[in-house]
Amino acid sequence: MAAIDPLTAGGVLLATALTDAVYVMFTSAVVAKKRVPAATWSSIWYVLSSYAVISYTENWIYVAFAALGSWVGAYLTITFLHRPPGGPPVGAAVE
């Protein structure tokens, strides 16, 4: 097993945390039927997830950092970007 590079591990964790945050925003835009925000979030989602996949294919242990980042990203996004009932979904405010 290759050594774990802390910068790569941190980059994978951050990229997947951001990927899941962007996924939440994308899903909210889709639910609100906002085409431009949904398409924008989708393209950002693709770039972030590509970085993570390319990074962790070097060493399978980075998948653990990806999973942790994914959990953190979704949890924090739902926690801090939650809007009260009746308001537009997160990520759907602009078109």
Side-chain angles (χ1 to χ4, degrees), residues 40-95:
T40 302
W41 288 121
S42 178
S43 65
I44 295 168
W45 177 20
Y46 182 79
V47 170
L48 289 169
S49 63
S50 296
Y51 169 78
V53 169
I54 290 166
S55 296
Y56 71 64
T57 54
E58 296 174 7
N59 184 344
W60 67 269
I61 198 69
Y62 292 124
V63 173
F65 292 97
L68 178 60
S70 177
W71 191 94
V72 168
Y75 181 85
L76 291 178
T77 303
I78 295 296
T79 300
F80 294 111
L81 296 180
H82 178 72
R83 294 194 181 175
V90 173
V94 180
E95 181 165 299

